[in-house]
Amino acid sequence: MELSGAEIVVQALKDEGVEFIFGYPGGAVLHIYDALFGQEDVKHVLVRHEQGATHMADGYARATGRPGVVLATSGPGATNLVTGIATAYMDSIPLVVITGQVPTPVIGSDAFQECDTVGITRPCVKHNYLVKDRRKLAETIKKAFYIASTGRPGPVLVDIPKDITDPNIKVPYHYPQSVSLRSYKPKVKGNPRQIRKAADLIASARKPMIYSGGGVVLGEAASELTELTRWLNFPITNTLMGLGAYPGSDRQFLGMLGMHGTYEANMAMHECDVLIAIGARFDDRVTGKLDEFCPYAKVIHIDVDPASIAKNVPVDVPIVGQVKPVLSELISLLKSSGHRPDPDALEAWWAQIERWRSLDCLRYDRESALIKPQYVIEQLWEITGGNAYVTSDVGQHQMWVAQYYRFEKPRRWINSGGLGTMGFGMPSAIGVKLAHPEEEVVCVTGEASIQMCIQELSTALQYKAPIKIVNLNNRYMGMVRQWQEFTYESRYSHSYMDTIPDFVKLAEAYGHVGMRIEKPEEVRPALEQAIAMKDRLVFLDFITDRTENVYPMVEAGKAQHQMRLPPWISTDRELA
Amino acid sequence: MRHIISLLLENEAGALARVASLFAARGYNIEALTVAPTEDETVSRMTIVTCGDERIIEQITKQLNKLIDVIKLLDISGSGHIERELMLLKVRARGEEREEVKRLADIFRGRIVDVTSQAYVIEMTGDSAKLDAFLANLAPGQIIEVVRSGPTGILRGERGLHL
């Protein structure tokens, strides 16, 4: 089969089984757009801004585990993608990003809409290519999918000059079934000797703790994690990225850890003697002050990326491999050896944890006449049974979802954890909804974040993505305001917007349903009403208590056990 | 601690930029970097001289290994190795200086490869410390120009870094 470069791109996507491509046309990709015309196998989703395309593809990838695909033109098209690519990179999300480039002969001449896309994106992709030979196009696209989705996943960009996609020059097309790179051989299985060492250490634990992250979600190892945790009867905490890998309402689950983690999770981390870190990377938002992190613990660290191991925290038993096979191996080894940690010690440890848990650190004022943001999330959780796909933007609302929406299953919690990208929530929810049209998809956001990609409301209408938007409107950039209250003596420097749009009218202007909710008693009926509107996007604008803070909080420079609790909770009084 | 890291990488456009930008982005030091194709034209060999404590060197090697274009790497300073750097040096050589410079170059096994009435160009190889020592022995103000290639290195014995 002889195809032009443009036809090769489209045919390769079909052969790869790509369902959606999120993109925006422009000069350098017009040949590719022409090849997309009139075919239905790969559905093109026309976004309103290229950043939206990356977030939609990212949401799609997080919800399905399959790489999200993006198409944009050269120059500004490519630079608009950068935030979304960096977002995916920080959270190890597989994307294949195809960009047009100016024709090969004019590369380097400052041509119209030229930029060094490969250079600009190099620090925020797993790998990238500039294709200069159309005969290598199909193979390069295959490599991009392979690299993006194996090992520690991540975005891969393929930059294609316009002359390479020339419809008049055809070359033989062959899409390889598989590719192999001599310089890239991601590890699958863990070293058996290390796994044995880990099993021995686990058996000797008296105050064990399991700390798992996004790697368990990405590595499809939630059931192995759950099996291991239950069999050992160990306490477990999840990182922001790892929520849902272990059932959120289970007794052994201590909630999220870290800067806004629960009291019991952070205390158990601090006091534990054996820490089992699984698919997590000891991010600074987790560890707090490094010198005082888990001071009594021997650390086992399982991760597919060797560079994540011993990067921030010294590790006693490093295991490089995919979490799923490593956990299976570990489980069978533990079960066959019959070694279990001392049950009396474990019982005493659980008693201690229950004392910490009795503090009920997430309690808030349920009698308030104002809408408490936590209440909105709790109601959302109840109504959806913990099974909705929930995306978020970045800030207080994100932390409240992490704390109050107890995710029962993996891939349901979709947020920008590493880069912390405002504007991520709504477009990523569209990507999720397109992947799972029958599932409930909710974007929890704030009035500041939502305005960063608001134009995608139009895309949601065109492609029938009836997501629900829960806007926790406190008229502040809430997390900025909170830091200013705590560390800048309440000097609220530019964290307040004097002019906020009427979101009801805004939603209506985009062809959707808008609702404004101002009283606590209206919260639940409004959510129920919105969810009942199956085929409409509903924008729920909740006017919340603007002074509410996220607690507990490990402030910058503090150790994980030095949490700031809400003023209405006292450890001295309640744990005495 | 000074380390010499040898890499084999795909001879692809941008491979050097990936390595250099990794060092810049993560704040690692590069004291010297050399790169050239090998007997296999699809493979380049790079030698990086860097410094840092054990933890940093471990991260550097891990992060380099993560680059898709990097095929193999080895910290050769960890075992017996030979290190060589080429220096081309232009020095003032007038009157009595001429004999003195020549004698010194001979002691260091340098070769004078260009001569004018006012100056010599000296070619010298050795490990970096030897070249430093030669420079330290010249009289102040005598050096007109120094060009150093940066070190390259190879393991002793039969063991080698190859595909």
Side-chain angles (χ1 to χ4, degrees), chain A residues 88-142:
Chain A
Y89 183 63
M90 284 290 269
D91 289 341
S92 310
I93 304 304
L95 295 186
V96 172
V97 181
I98 297 170
T99 48
Q101 181 56 273
V102 298
T104 328
V106 299
I107 287 180
S109 70
D110 302 322
F112 177 65
Q113 293 197 327
E114 178 181 4
C115 73
D116 175 11
T117 304
V118 164
I120 288 172
T121 57
R122 192 179 291 125
C124 60
V125 292
K126 187 171 171 186
H127 198 55
N128 58 18
Y129 292 98
L130 173 65
V131 182
K132 286 183 164 174
D133 178 354
R134 78 197 78 225
R135 287 185 177 75
K136 290 189 176 158
L137 193 49
E139 189 193 348
T140 305
I141 292 172
K142 181 72 202 179

Coordinates of all heavy atoms in Angstrom, one line a residue, chain A residues 88-142:
Chain A
A88 N 1.0 16.2 31.9 CA 1.0 14.7 31.7 C 2.3 14.2 32.1 O 2.4 13.1 32.7 CB 0.7 14.4 30.3
Y89 N 3.4 14.9 31.8 CA 4.7 14.4 32.1 C 4.9 14.2 33.6 O 5.4 13.2 34.1 CB 5.8 15.3 31.6 CG 7.2 14.9 31.8 CD1 7.7 13.7 31.2 CD2 8.1 15.6 32.6 CE1 9.0 13.3 31.4 CE2 9.4 15.2 32.7 CZ 9.8 14.1 32.1 OH 11.1 13.7 32.3
M90 N 4.5 15.2 34.4 CA 4.7 15.2 35.8 C 3.9 14.0 36.5 O 4.3 13.5 37.5 CB 4.3 16.5 36.5 CG 5.3 17.6 36.2 SD 6.8 17.3 37.2 CE 6.4 18.2 38.7
D91 N 2.7 13.7 35.9 CA 1.9 12.6 36.5 C 2.1 11.3 35.7 O 1.3 10.3 35.9 CB 0.5 13.0 36.5 CG 0.2 14.1 37.5 OD1 1.0 14.3 38.4 OD2 -0.8 14.8 37.4
S92 N 3.1 11.2 34.8 CA 3.4 10.0 34.1 C 2.2 9.4 33.3 O 1.8 8.3 33.4 CB 3.9 8.8 35.0 OG 4.9 9.3 35.9
I93 N 1.6 10.3 32.5 CA 0.4 10.0 31.7 C 0.8 9.8 30.3 O 1.5 10.6 29.7 CB -0.7 11.1 31.8 CG1 -1.0 11.3 33.3 CG2 -1.9 10.7 31.0 CD1 -1.5 10.2 34.1
P94 N 0.4 8.6 29.7 CA 0.8 8.4 28.3 C 0.0 9.3 27.3 O -1.2 9.2 27.2 CB 0.4 6.9 28.1 CG -0.7 6.6 29.0 CD -0.4 7.5 30.2
L95 N 0.7 10.1 26.5 CA 0.1 10.9 25.5 C 1.0 10.7 24.2 O 2.2 10.6 24.3 CB 0.1 12.4 25.8 CG -0.7 13.0 26.9 CD1 -0.6 14.5 26.9 CD2 -2.1 12.5 26.9
V96 N 0.3 10.7 23.1 CA 1.1 10.8 21.8 C 0.6 12.2 21.2 O -0.5 12.3 20.9 CB 0.9 9.7 20.9 CG1 1.5 9.9 19.5 CG2 1.4 8.4 21.5
V97 N 1.6 13.1 21.1 CA 1.3 14.4 20.6 C 1.9 14.6 19.2 O 3.1 14.5 19.1 CB 1.8 15.5 21.6 CG1 1.5 16.9 21.1 CG2 1.3 15.2 23.0
I98 N 1.0 14.9 18.3 CA 1.5 15.1 16.9 C 1.4 16.6 16.6 O 0.4 17.2 16.7 CB 0.7 14.3 15.9 CG1 0.9 12.8 16.2 CG2 1.1 14.6 14.4 CD1 0.0 11.8 15.4
T99 N 2.5 17.2 16.2 CA 2.5 18.6 15.8 C 3.0 18.7 14.4 O 3.9 18.0 13.9 CB 3.4 19.4 16.7 OG1 4.7 18.8 16.8 CG2 2.8 19.6 18.1
G100 N 2.5 19.7 13.7 CA 3.0 20.1 12.4 C 4.2 21.0 12.6 O 4.4 21.6 13.6
Q101 N 5.0 21.0 11.6 CA 6.2 21.9 11.6 C 6.3 22.5 10.2 O 5.7 22.0 9.3 CB 7.5 21.0 11.9 CG 8.8 21.8 12.0 CD 8.7 22.9 13.0 OE1 8.3 24.0 12.7 NE2 9.1 22.6 14.3
V102 N 7.0 23.6 10.2 CA 7.2 24.3 8.8 C 8.0 23.3 7.9 O 8.7 22.4 8.4 CB 8.0 25.6 9.0 CG1 7.1 26.6 9.8 CG2 9.3 25.4 9.6
P103 N 7.9 23.5 6.6 CA 8.6 22.5 5.7 C 10.1 22.4 6.0 O 10.7 23.4 6.3 CB 8.3 23.1 4.3 CG 7.1 23.9 4.5 CD 7.1 24.5 5.9
T104 N 10.6 21.2 5.8 CA 12.0 21.0 6.1 C 13.0 22.0 5.5 O 13.9 22.5 6.2 CB 12.4 19.6 5.5 OG1 11.3 18.7 5.6 CG2 13.6 19.0 6.3
P105 N 12.8 22.5 4.2 CA 13.8 23.4 3.7 C 13.8 24.8 4.4 O 14.8 25.4 4.4 CB 13.3 23.6 2.2 CG 12.4 22.5 1.9 CD 11.8 22.1 3.2
V106 N 12.7 25.1 5.1 CA 12.8 26.4 5.8 C 12.9 26.3 7.3 O 12.9 27.3 8.0 CB 11.5 27.3 5.5 CG1 11.4 27.5 4.0 CG2 10.2 26.6 6.0
I107 N 13.1 25.1 7.8 CA 13.4 25.0 9.3 C 14.6 25.8 9.6 O 15.7 25.6 8.9 CB 13.6 23.5 9.7 CG1 12.2 22.8 9.7 CG2 14.2 23.4 11.1 CD1 12.2 21.3 10.0
G108 N 14.5 26.6 10.6 CA 15.7 27.3 11.1 C 15.8 28.7 10.5 O 16.7 29.5 10.7
S109 N 14.8 29.1 9.6 CA 14.8 30.4 8.9 C 13.9 31.4 9.6 O 13.6 32.4 9.0 CB 14.5 30.2 7.5 OG 13.1 29.9 7.3
D110 N 13.3 31.1 10.8 CA 12.3 31.9 11.4 C 11.1 32.1 10.5 O 10.6 33.2 10.3 CB 12.9 33.3 11.8 CG 14.0 33.2 12.7 OD1 14.0 32.3 13.6 OD2 15.0 33.9 12.6
A111 N 10.7 31.0 9.9 CA 9.5 31.0 9.0 C 8.2 31.3 9.8 O 8.2 31.2 11.0 CB 9.4 29.6 8.3
F112 N 7.2 31.6 9.0 CA 5.9 31.9 9.7 C 5.4 30.7 10.5 O 5.5 29.6 10.0 CB 4.8 32.3 8.6 CG 3.5 32.5 9.2 CD1 3.3 33.6 10.1 CD2 2.4 31.7 8.9 CE1 2.0 33.8 10.7 CE2 1.2 31.9 9.5 CZ 1.0 32.9 10.4
Q113 N 5.0 31.0 11.7 CA 4.6 29.9 12.7 C 5.6 28.8 12.9 O 5.3 27.7 13.1 CB 3.2 29.3 12.2 CG 2.1 30.3 12.3 CD 0.7 29.7 12.3 OE1 0.5 28.7 11.7 NE2 -0.2 30.3 13.0
E114 N 6.9 29.2 12.8 CA 7.9 28.3 13.2 C 8.4 28.4 14.6 O 8.5 29.6 15.1 CB 9.2 28.5 12.3 CG 10.3 27.5 12.7 CD 11.6 27.6 11.9 OE1 11.7 28.5 11.1 OE2 12.5 26.8 12.1
C115 N 8.5 27.3 15.3 CA 9.2 27.3 16.6 C 9.9 26.0 16.7 O 9.6 25.0 16.1 CB 8.3 27.6 17.8 SG 7.3 26.3 18.2
D116 N 10.9 26.0 17.6 CA 11.7 24.7 17.8 C 10.9 23.8 18.8 O 11.1 23.8 20.0 CB 13.1 25.1 18.4 CG 13.9 23.8 18.7 OD1 13.4 22.7 18.4 OD2 14.9 24.0 19.4
T117 N 9.9 23.2 18.2 CA 8.9 22.4 19.1 C 9.7 21.3 19.8 O 9.4 21.1 21.0 CB 7.8 21.8 18.2 OG1 7.2 22.9 17.5 CG2 6.8 21.1 19.1
V118 N 10.6 20.6 19.1 CA 11.3 19.5 19.8 C 12.1 20.1 21.0 O 12.2 19.5 22.0 CB 12.1 18.8 18.8 CG1 13.2 17.9 19.4 CG2 11.2 17.9 17.9
G119 N 12.7 21.3 20.7 CA 13.6 21.9 21.8 C 12.7 22.4 22.9 O 13.1 22.2 24.1
I120 N 11.6 23.0 22.6 CA 10.7 23.6 23.7 C 10.2 22.5 24.5 O 10.0 22.7 25.7 CB 9.6 24.5 23.0 CG1 10.2 25.8 22.5 CG2 8.5 24.8 24.0 CD1 9.2 26.6 21.7
T121 N 9.8 21.4 23.9 CA 9.1 20.4 24.7 C 10.1 19.3 25.3 O 9.7 18.5 26.1 CB 8.1 19.6 23.8 OG1 8.8 19.0 22.7 CG2 7.0 20.5 23.4
R122 N 11.3 19.4 24.9 CA 12.3 18.3 25.4 C 12.3 18.1 26.9 O 12.3 16.9 27.3 CB 13.7 18.7 24.9 CG 14.7 17.5 25.0 CD 16.0 17.8 24.5 NE 16.1 18.0 23.1 CZ 16.6 19.1 22.4 NH1 17.0 20.1 23.1 NH2 16.6 19.2 21.1
P123 N 12.3 19.1 27.7 CA 12.3 18.9 29.1 C 11.0 18.3 29.7 O 11.0 17.9 30.9 CB 12.6 20.2 29.8 CG 12.9 21.1 28.6 CD 12.3 20.6 27.4
C124 N 9.9 18.3 28.9 CA 8.7 17.9 29.5 C 8.0 16.7 28.7 O 6.8 16.5 28.8 CB 7.7 19.1 29.7 SG 7.3 19.9 28.2
V125 N 8.8 16.0 28.0 CA 8.3 14.8 27.3 C 9.2 13.6 27.8 O 10.4 13.8 28.1 CB 8.3 14.9 25.8 CG1 7.3 15.9 25.3 CG2 9.7 15.2 25.3
K126 N 8.6 12.4 27.6 CA 9.5 11.3 27.8 C 10.5 11.1 26.7 O 11.6 10.8 26.9 CB 8.6 10.0 28.0 CG 9.3 8.8 28.3 CD 8.4 7.6 28.7 CE 9.1 6.3 28.8 NZ 8.2 5.2 29.0
H127 N 10.0 11.4 25.5 CA 10.8 11.5 24.3 C 10.1 12.3 23.2 O 8.9 12.4 23.2 CB 11.1 10.0 23.8 CG 12.3 10.0 22.9 ND1 13.5 10.4 23.3 CD2 12.5 9.5 21.6 CE1 14.4 10.2 22.3 NE2 13.8 9.6 21.3
N128 N 10.9 12.8 22.3 CA 10.3 13.4 21.1 C 11.1 13.2 19.8 O 12.2 12.8 19.9 CB 10.0 14.9 21.3 CG 11.2 15.7 21.7 OD1 12.3 15.3 21.4 ND2 11.0 16.9 22.3
Y129 N 10.4 13.3 18.7 CA 11.0 13.1 17.4 C 10.7 14.2 16.5 O 9.6 14.8 16.5 CB 10.4 11.8 16.8 CG 10.7 10.5 17.5 CD1 9.8 9.9 18.4 CD2 11.9 9.9 17.2 CE1 10.1 8.7 19.0 CE2 12.2 8.7 17.8 CZ 11.3 8.1 18.7 OH 11.6 6.9 19.3
L130 N 11.6 14.5 15.6 CA 11.4 15.4 14.4 C 11.5 14.4 13.2 O 12.6 13.8 13.0 CB 12.4 16.5 14.3 CG 12.3 17.4 13.1 CD1 11.0 18.1 13.0 CD2 13.5 18.4 13.1
V131 N 10.5 14.2 12.5 CA 10.5 13.2 11.4 C 10.9 13.9 10.1 O 10.3 14.9 9.6 CB 9.1 12.6 11.2 CG1 9.2 11.5 10.1 CG2 8.6 12.0 12.5
K132 N 12.1 13.5 9.6 CA 12.6 14.2 8.4 C 12.5 13.2 7.1 O 12.9 13.6 6.1 CB 14.0 14.6 8.6 CG 14.1 15.8 9.5 CD 15.5 16.3 9.6 CE 15.6 17.7 10.2 NZ 17.0 18.1 10.4
D133 N 12.0 12.0 7.3 CA 12.0 11.1 6.3 C 10.6 10.4 6.3 O 10.3 9.7 7.3 CB 13.1 10.0 6.4 CG 13.1 9.0 5.3 OD1 12.1 8.9 4.5 OD2 14.0 8.2 5.3
R134 N 9.8 10.5 5.3 CA 8.4 10.0 5.4 C 8.4 8.5 5.5 O 7.5 7.9 5.9 CB 7.5 10.6 4.2 CG 7.7 9.9 2.9 CD 7.2 10.8 1.8 NE 8.1 11.9 1.5 CZ 7.7 13.2 1.3 NH1 6.4 13.5 1.4 NH2 8.6 14.1 1.0
R135 N 9.5 7.9 5.0 CA 9.6 6.4 5.1 C 9.7 5.9 6.6 O 9.5 4.8 6.8 CB 10.8 5.9 4.3 CG 10.6 6.0 2.8 CD 11.7 5.3 2.0 NE 11.4 5.4 0.6 CZ 11.4 6.5 -0.1 NH1 11.8 7.6 0.4 NH2 11.1 6.5 -1.4
K136 N 10.1 6.8 7.4 CA 10.2 6.5 8.8 C 9.0 6.9 9.7 O 9.0 6.7 10.9 CB 11.5 7.1 9.4 CG 12.7 6.5 8.9 CD 14.0 7.0 9.6 CE 15.2 6.3 9.2 NZ 16.4 7.1 9.5
L137 N 8.0 7.5 9.0 CA 6.9 8.1 9.7 C 6.1 7.0 10.5 O 5.8 7.2 11.7 CB 6.0 8.8 8.7 CG 5.0 9.8 9.3 CD1 5.5 10.7 10.3 CD2 4.4 10.6 8.1
A138 N 5.7 5.9 9.8 CA 4.9 4.9 10.5 C 5.6 4.3 11.7 O 5.1 4.2 12.8 CB 4.5 3.8 9.5
E139 N 6.9 4.0 11.5 CA 7.6 3.4 12.5 C 7.8 4.3 13.7 O 7.8 3.9 14.9 CB 9.0 2.9 12.0 CG 9.8 2.1 13.0 CD 11.3 1.9 12.6 OE1 11.6 2.3 11.4 OE2 12.0 1.5 13.4
T140 N 8.0 5.6 13.4 CA 8.2 6.6 14.5 C 6.9 6.7 15.3 O 6.9 6.8 16.5 CB 8.6 8.0 13.9 OG1 9.7 7.8 13.1 CG2 8.8 9.0 15.0
I141 N 5.8 6.7 14.6 CA 4.5 6.8 15.3 C 4.3 5.5 16.2 O 3.9 5.6 17.4 CB 3.3 6.9 14.4 CG1 3.4 8.3 13.7 CG2 2.0 6.8 15.1 CD1 2.4 8.6 12.6
K142 N 4.7 4.4 15.7 CA 4.6 3.1 16.5 C 5.5 3.3 17.8 O 5.1 2.9 18.9 CB 5.0 1.9 15.7 CG 5.0 0.6 16.4 CD 3.5 0.2 16.7 CE 3.4 -0.8 17.8 NZ 2.0 -1.2 18.0

